[in-house]
Amino acid sequence: MNNQSVIKIHPMDNVAIALSDLPQGFLLPLDGTEITLQQQVLRGHKIAITTLSKDTHIMKYGFPIGHATEEISAGSWVHSHNMKTNLSGELSYEFNPKTHPVAEPRHAQRTFKGYRRKDGQVGVRNEIWIINTVGCINKVAENLAKLGNQLLKADNFDGVQHFAHPYGCSQLGDDLTYTQKILANLIHHPNAGAVIVLGLGCENNYIELFKKTIGHYDEQRVAFLNVQESADEMEEGQLLLEKAFDYVTTFERQALPISELKIGLKCGGSDGFSGITANPMIGVFSDQLISAGGATVLTEVPEMFGAEQILMERAKDASVFEDIVHLVNNFKQYFIKYNQPVYENPSPGNKAGGITTLEEKSLGCIQKGGFQEVKEVLDYGDRMSTKGLHLLNGPGNDLVSTTALASTGCQIVLFSTGRGTPFGGPTPTVKISTNTPLYERKKNWIDFNAGQLVEGKPMDVLVDEFMDYIVALASGEVQTNNEKYGFKEIAIFKDGVTM
């Protein structure tokens, strides 16, 4: 139902969502009757469409998102003051597979112009990446990248990138392993036509040790520079940049099927529209891309809590189901290990945008994964080995999870937001607004407006427009705002002591 002032998402719902700021006394026409708003309700927030007695489940998306902590009269604002999460403790799960209808593929024959690498991977950019093994030489990497971008120009070259981080030394155990795996995966990333690995020389993650994690590499594509051993690291680095430039400019864009695309799925700064506009649109896009033979990756495990059984029902088989159970329970244990409440989410920004409980946030979040079956579960720092929908072990933190998505091999990350953020990861990071006011206010942050869905644009029309945008982006015909303004950052998960 969409009467331009509110939307009721599912027939079983007992709340509606305000599509604009609505004043006290406003008359809502709902289901053939009228309800008077008991107080002002802001855009994205929930309104009771019937009187709800204490302990009644609050229904949104057709699922309970919490319960009423007091009687709530019809027309009242529903939020933290009168409802609470239903989540508590750990759960046991059973494999009850269900299939969901998926739309017929409409884009299977489409192509984009990408870069086919010698190892068979496909990049959507032809860049040189400078990867430093340790944070102590962030500035060396930055200065070399500036030098390279001043000196090296070609039509088939997209510039030199570096990614500052604070790690690579004073780390032990899993933390050092995480750092090595993420950095090694970036070295193998297909958007990097060539890579220069900078080491300091005295760090835990010294070059010779790091090479064991990198594994096999093409010596034409990857070069190493130990800064402490160099008399002039800038002079030596320039020579390596020039050699890398000669190599990357041997690659030219060529027509490739969209089945070669691997796309990361992320949301941040969500609001009450996230589960209505941007995330469902991304879900339909994901279904279409997978139907065409492509791959997508969904992460943010804490934002699956409360909706995880929907993903478990879609596991490819019992083995993948067990992997999802382990993924969810393992992340809950991470909270418990540090004596932190498992369900202390959403963030203040989410709540200001109208999201009250974690299950409400999660039910909106997982819509980015569409309705395809879950093919594979990846651990943090793993790379994709197959096509289809993947789940990735990782936190909800925007910087950490976006980096982890790029690390799996995703050439592009889709990032829905209702509040806005300028952040971008190492790959093109498509910021998709959940609402039109954000799109119009933050033109230098937002790349695509999914808010058009509540203004009457049909889903299939908007998804087709979005697919056109992704094909143009992957072909290098357009850039994301994070690329235009140089917002390209990484962050690595940390769980242990720092020496």
Side-chain angles (χ1 to χ4, degrees):
M1 179 191 67
N2 181 353
N3 62 4
Q4 297 184 330
S5 56
V6 297
I7 183 169
K8 178 182 172 184
I9 301 169
H10 190 276
M12 291 175 62
D13 291 355
N14 51 23
V15 294
I17 311 303
L19 296 179
S20 60
D21 294 348
L22 301 175
Q24 182 180 10
F26 186 84
L27 292 178
L28 290 178
L30 280 167
D31 297 338
T33 184
E34 285 189 331
I35 296 173
T36 303
L37 274 191
Q38 301 301 305
Q39 58 271 111
Q40 182 192 37
V41 177
L42 299 180
R43 178 168 54 89
H45 284 246
K46 296 176 288 296
I47 302 163
I49 58 176
T50 185
T51 295
L52 306 169
S53 58
K54 184 180 178 183
D55 295 328
T56 298
H57 284 316
I58 308 297
M59 302 293 291
K60 182 180 175 184
Y61 306 116
F63 292 94
I65 59 167
H67 63 273
T69 55
E70 59 188 58
E71 181 172 292
I72 304 173
S73 59
S76 294
W77 175 39
V78 180
H79 204 23
S80 310
H81 60 289
N82 55 14
M83 72 169 286
K84 190 176 179 182
T85 180
N86 288 335
L87 300 176
S88 64
E90 290 188 71
L91 302 174
S92 57
Y93 305 100
E94 291 184 2
F95 185 35
N96 296 305
K98 291 182 181 176
T99 57
H100 294 265
V102 177
E104 288 294 317
R106 300 194 307 275
H107 303 276
Q109 304 305 316
R110 296 200 66 166
T111 61
F112 70 101
K113 291 183 178 179
Y115 294 96
R116 175 76 74 183
R117 305 301 182 192
K118 288 183 178 178
D119 63 0
Q121 292 192 88
V122 169
V124 301
R125 296 291 181 267
N126 197 32
E127 299 172 331
I128 296 172
W129 285 8
I130 300 175
I131 304 294
N132 42 300
T133 60
V134 63
C136 306
I137 47 177
N138 281 335
K139 281 296 179 182
V140 178
E142 180 182 334
N143 289 338
L144 275 176
K146 284 180 183 174
L147 180 64
N149 284 320
Q150 289 167 0
L151 297 176
L152 308 173
K153 309 285 183 186
D155 290 341
N156 62 338
F157 178 57
D158 295 307
V160 183
Q161 306 293 334
H162 77 99
F163 308 109
H165 65 87
Y167 298 129
C169 200
S170 306
Q171 290 187 295
L172 297 169
D174 286 347
D175 278 354
L176 181 58
T177 301
Y178 294 151
T179 297
Q180 291 175 318
K181 289 178 72 174
I182 294 297
L183 295 181
N185 287 352
L186 294 179
I187 289 169
H188 290 295
H189 198 283
N191 284 5
V195 179
I196 297 172
V197 181
L198 287 186
L200 177 60
C202 57
E203 67 274 29
N204 287 100
N205 187 31
Y206 59 94
I207 284 177
E208 289 307 312
L209 178 68
F210 184 39
K211 281 182 176 179
K212 295 178 182 176
T213 304
I214 296 171
H216 175 74
Y217 63 88
D218 178 353
E219 292 184 357
Q220 274 190 295
R221 180 177 172 273
V222 183
F224 297 86
L225 174 59
N226 189 322
V227 171
Q228 286 177 342
E229 291 179 356
S230 173
D232 186 336
E233 65 272 12
M234 293 303 293
E235 183 179 358
E236 219 173 310
Q238 181 178 333
L239 292 174
L240 291 177
L241 281 169
E242 290 169 351
K243 189 175 177 183
F245 177 76
D246 290 341
Y247 179 72
V248 299
T249 50
T250 62
F251 293 93
E252 298 286 348
R253 288 191 182 273
Q254 58 183 285
L256 296 162
I258 63 167
S259 59
E260 294 287 359
L261 289 178
K262 302 172 181 177
I263 307 287
L265 312 174
K266 169 81 183 93
C267 55
S270 301
D271 69 354
F273 285 6
S274 295
I276 301 172
T277 58
N279 291 351
M281 186 203 75
I282 293 172
V284 176
F285 168 83
S286 174
D287 286 344
Q288 286 291 324
L289 182 63
I290 290 170
S291 295
T296 60
V297 186
L298 183 68
T299 186
E300 306 175 283
V301 177
E303 294 173 21
M304 298 175 188
F305 295 170
E308 67 270 31
Q309 296 192 51
I310 297 172
L311 295 170
M312 291 173 184
E313 291 170 353
R314 288 162 43 199
K316 180 185 72 172
D317 52 33
S319 175
V320 173
F321 163 76
E322 292 296 339
D323 288 343
I324 302 173
V325 171
H326 177 73
L327 177 79
V328 170
N329 284 341
N330 201 42
F331 222 102
K332 288 181 178 177
Q333 284 300 321
Y334 166 64
F335 281 79
I336 293 168
K337 181 173 75 172
Y338 289 104
N339 296 316
Q340 296 298 318
V342 174
Y343 305 113
E344 191 57 41
N345 202 325
S347 69
N350 296 152
K351 290 179 179 175
I355 298 173
T356 309
T357 64
L358 180 54
E359 54 265 59
E360 179 182 10
K361 184 175 181 179
S362 296
L363 285 164
C365 174
I366 67 162
Q367 293 190 50
K368 300 191 300 295
F371 293 98
Q372 296 274 2
E373 69 176 13
V374 179
K375 292 284 189 185
E376 187 178 26
V377 176
L378 304 171
D379 201 1
Y380 182 77
D382 283 353
R383 296 168 69 197
M384 266 183 283
S385 62
T386 186
K387 301 293 182 72
L389 176 64
H390 301 68
L391 304 184
L392 169 65
N393 185 17
N397 179 275
D398 292 350
L399 281 70
V400 175
S401 56
T402 301
T403 303
L405 288 168
S407 169
T408 67
C410 291
Q411 305 112 330
I412 295 169
V413 172
L414 309 183
F415 191 119
S416 68
T417 179
R419 311 276 298 173
T421 173
F423 166 73
T427 63
T429 307
V430 182
K431 237 61 68 54
I432 303 164
S433 67
T434 67
N435 61 84
T436 297
L438 174 63
Y439 176 74
E440 293 177 341
R441 194 172 70 254
K442 289 295 186 184
K443 290 285 189 184
N444 57 342
W445 290 3
I446 305 299
D447 300 291
F448 194 88
N449 178 23
Q452 299 172 84
L453 284 172
V454 293
E455 296 161 0
K457 179 162 283 191
M459 176 67 88
D460 58 347
V461 173
L462 192 65
V463 170
D464 286 351
E465 291 177 2
F466 187 65
M467 184 65 80
D468 291 342
Y469 171 80
I470 291 298
V471 167
L473 178 69
S475 301
E477 295 164 9
V478 296
Q479 287 186 311
T480 55
N481 280 311
N482 84 291
E483 293 182 286
K484 292 176 189 171
Y485 298 106
F487 294 173
K488 302 187 103 179
E489 303 170 60
I490 66 169
I492 301 170
F493 187 70
K494 180 183 182 304
D495 185 32
V497 299
T498 299
M499 291 189 292

